[in-house]
């Protein structure tokens, strides 16, 4: 499995990769991809030495998101030092969580990955507490989710 390094992608990095404009030239797409993986700007990524750039793009091209489906569903995650439960059973969501999920989905039909962070944030609640007891807004919680490992939340998202 040559692509295990990319299993360490964060939700935010994955969102950036899937948001790259396919109308751009392949080189521009690859520079944006390198920027997302390295956590740098487009300009900084455009200065990566060709040997490193080629290896990075090869690893991105080898990434198979379908392999994430083989991972066990984890409904616990730690965000900014707080343990959260991610509710993956729709009938166990609170009415507020369900409302947030429905609003996000209705405003972003066909853009699930683009709002992956918001959807996951709307399914999170602090462990042993109620939705919203963390004192964070949905957008603040989504910002924390963007830093979570894709492999930790993929099967809940799907």
């Amino acid at each position: 499995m040559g692509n295990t390094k990319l299993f360490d992608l964060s939700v935010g990095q994955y969102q950036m990769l899937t948001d790259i404009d396919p109308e751009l030239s392949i080189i521009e797409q690859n520079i944006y991809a390198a920027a997302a993986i390295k956590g740098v700007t487009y300009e900084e990524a455009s200065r990566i030495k060709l040997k490193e750039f080629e290896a990075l793009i090869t690893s991105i091209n080898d990434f198979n998101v379908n392999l994430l489906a083989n991972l066990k569903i984890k409904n616990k995650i730690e965000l900014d030092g707080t343990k959260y439960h991610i509710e993956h059973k729709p009938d166990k969501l609170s009415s507020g969580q369900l409302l947030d999920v429905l609003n996000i989905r209705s405003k972003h039909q066909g853009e699930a990955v683009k709002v992956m962070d918001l959807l996951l944030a709307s399914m999170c609640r602090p462990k042993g507490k109620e939705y919203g007891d963390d004192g964070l807004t949905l957008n603040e919680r989504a910002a924390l989710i963007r830093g979570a490992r894709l492999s930790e939340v993929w099967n809940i998202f799907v």
Side-chain angles (χ1 to χ4, degrees), residues 31-46:
I31 292 172
Y32 277 111
I37 297 301
K38 299 278 281 174
V40 298
T41 66
Y42 178 89
E43 289 73 26
E44 291 168 318
S46 69

Side-chain angles (χ1 to χ4, degrees), residues 132-147:
D133 282 352
D134 55 5
L136 300 175
T137 66
L138 181 61
N139 287 325
E140 290 169 334
R141 199 173 311 107
L144 295 176
I145 290 284
R146 283 191 290 277

Side-chain angles (χ1 to χ4, degrees), residues 44-100:
E44 291 168 318
S46 69
R47 292 192 294 265
I48 296 173
K49 299 292 183 204
L50 197 53
K51 186 174 182 176
E52 179 187 355
F53 184 78
E54 183 180 3
L56 186 60
I57 298 308
T58 298
S59 69
I60 293 168
N61 289 332
D62 287 345
F63 180 64
N64 181 355
V65 75
N66 294 323
L67 293 176
L68 292 172
N70 297 329
L71 299 174
K72 183 178 154 183
I73 291 178
K74 298 177 187 175
N75 61 359
K76 294 172 182 60
I77 190 167
E78 190 167 317
L79 302 172
D80 199 30
T82 301
K83 293 182 182 189
Y84 282 83
H85 173 79
I86 305 175
E87 189 52 69
H88 64 283
K89 296 179 181 175
D91 60 328
K92 292 194 175 186
L93 292 173
S94 71
S95 57
Q97 287 175 294
L98 180 60
L99 179 61
D100 283 346

